[in-house]
Structure formats: C-alpha cells, structure tokens
Amino acid sequence: QGEPEVYAIGGFLDAQFNRAVDDWRDKSFMRIRKDSVTRIVFRYPADSSFVLDKFLGKWMNAGVPVDSAEVKTFLSGMEYRNATAFAETAPAGNPPVTIVLEQTGKSLGTIEAWPTETNWTVRSSQQPETFFAFDPASRKDVFVSSKRFVANQ
C-alpha cells in the first residue's frame, strides 16, 4: 500500500516499436483506379515521348492499336504502388521525365523523375512533398518505352 502501481504488458513488443525512422513514413506512391484511366502521357527526353489513348474501349498510340493487356498490366502496377526508399535530398530543376495518368482531360496522377548517378529521384502528385529513390528494378516497371505496348500481330 502507498507504493506506485506497476503495469506489465504480455507479449513481445520490441519488433513493433524498435524501427528505423523510414519504417514509420508513408510509402504510398500512387493510388488510382486502373479502369478510370483513359489516357497515359509519357514525356521523355528527345523524341521518345508517346501517348496512349483509350478510344471506344481500345488502347491506341497515335491512332495505332496497342496491346490492351499490356496497358492493363501497366495500370495494375500503378493502382496500388508503394515506394520503399526515400531520397536524401530534393532534386533541382524541372523533371526530364513525366508520366501523367488522365481521365477525360482530368489528371488522376502525375509522376516526375530526375536521374541521379545510381538511381532516379521520383515523386508523385499524390505525395508532392515526398521524394523517393527508384533503383533500376523499380524504374523499369514505371518508366517504360512504347515498345512494351506494341500489339502482337
């Protein structure tokens, strides 16, 4: 009596709380409904930019049909995409690479990228103050060429 009460919690909680700072950060990168997207604009350096448009239920690149299954696969990867590595610093200047996902003229999400020596620094319009570092594996799933969507004839 007269002594402070002591409470104990059963279980192992060290794994829940003993984490690095980045483990607590929001890793969400892009959240879209793939069926909502009607246009994808890939703005790349030089002459490698292209636009995919959905017209009467079919995906086209400059009026030429593309592999709609590949477009759906790409959009599935954007539907609930997380990024796990955070960039140390914000990049300077305008991004040389931009991808815009649209629904009938309305932007659903934008991805901007700046190349670095080893990775790319990227951000999405859904978390504009957060910069992520994409390694080559992460980059190849997002920044694709028009060749990926060529329809098999």
Side-chain angles (χ1 to χ4, degrees):
Q1 306 273 7
E3 298 203 17
E5 294 183 35
V6 176
Y7 296 92
I9 298 174
F12 183 71
L13 297 177
D14 189 50
Q16 293 293 322
F17 296 103
N18 191 14
R19 296 182 178 191
V21 172
D22 282 354
D23 290 342
W24 297 98
R25 295 179 72 180
D26 183 0
K27 295 174 181 71
S28 60
F29 183 70
M30 183 62 65
R31 302 289 189 268
I32 59 157
R33 286 186 46 239
K34 66 181 175 189
D35 296 333
S36 298
V37 179
T38 58
R39 185 172 217 232
I40 310 168
V41 180
F42 295 86
R43 292 187 191 119
Y44 294 155
D47 61 352
S48 56
S49 297
F50 64 102
V51 177
L52 300 176
D53 286 299
K54 193 172 189 179
F55 182 72
L56 299 175
K58 301 221 185 272
W59 284 98
M60 314 282 260
N61 179 5
V64 177
V66 297
D67 188 342
S68 291
E70 274 301 315
V71 177
K72 286 180 184 178
T73 299
F74 174 80
L75 290 173
S76 291
M78 294 294 114
E79 197 164 34
Y80 190 85
R81 184 166 196 90
N82 287 336
T84 57
F86 295 91
E88 300 274 329
T89 59
N94 293 324
V97 174
T98 305
I99 299 173
V100 182
L101 305 165
E102 298 178 356
Q103 179 185 37
T104 318
K106 177 183 124 187
S107 177
L108 299 174
T110 301
I111 300 168
E112 298 175 320
W114 296 259
T116 65
E117 288 182 27
T118 57
N119 296 319
W120 280 28
T121 300
V122 298
R123 74 173 168 193
S124 81
S125 59
Q126 296 178 358
Q127 274 213 76
E129 301 301 318
T130 303
F131 292 90
F132 295 95
F134 271 23
D135 61 17
S138 299
R139 193 173 67 233
K140 76 175 179 66
D141 292 336
V142 176
F143 304 104
V144 298
S145 78
S146 61
K147 292 176 185 171
R148 174 176 174 176
F149 304 107
V150 173
N152 295 332
Q153 300 291 330

